[in-house]
Amino acid sequence: MKQGIHPKYDYVVFRDRAADFAFLTRSTVGSAETVEWEDGKTYPVIDVQISSASHPFWTGKSRVMDDEGRVAKFYKKYGKAPAE
């Protein structure tokens, strides 16, 4: 590997404040803001808006869309019947 061309790859805490969830991983992204982790060390922290703890798909709180009604509305608006 060439020296001096790669970004710094170090430990970072990603925090989802809406779900009160955080996890420690390695990343090339950095931050000036820091947080003390459970192991007593201080790491840079990145606040995210959504994570697996708050995403509707992963939490099981996703809503089901009524696709049949949307398709019928489309055909009514544009006057074409579906090919059978």
Side-chain angles (χ1 to χ4, degrees), residues 14-61:
F14 286 91
R15 177 173 57 190
D16 181 359
R17 289 183 183 237
D20 194 30
F21 176 71
F23 60 94
L24 178 67
T25 187
R26 295 187 69 179
S27 177
T28 58
V29 68
S31 174
E33 188 179 349
T34 60
V35 67
E36 187 172 328
W37 191 243
E38 298 161 354
D39 60 3
K41 295 181 182 176
T42 302
Y43 298 103
V45 64
I46 304 293
D47 288 322
V48 293
Q49 293 181 358
I50 197 160
S51 69
S52 61
S54 62
H55 193 281
F57 179 80
W58 299 110
T59 60
K61 296 179 183 176

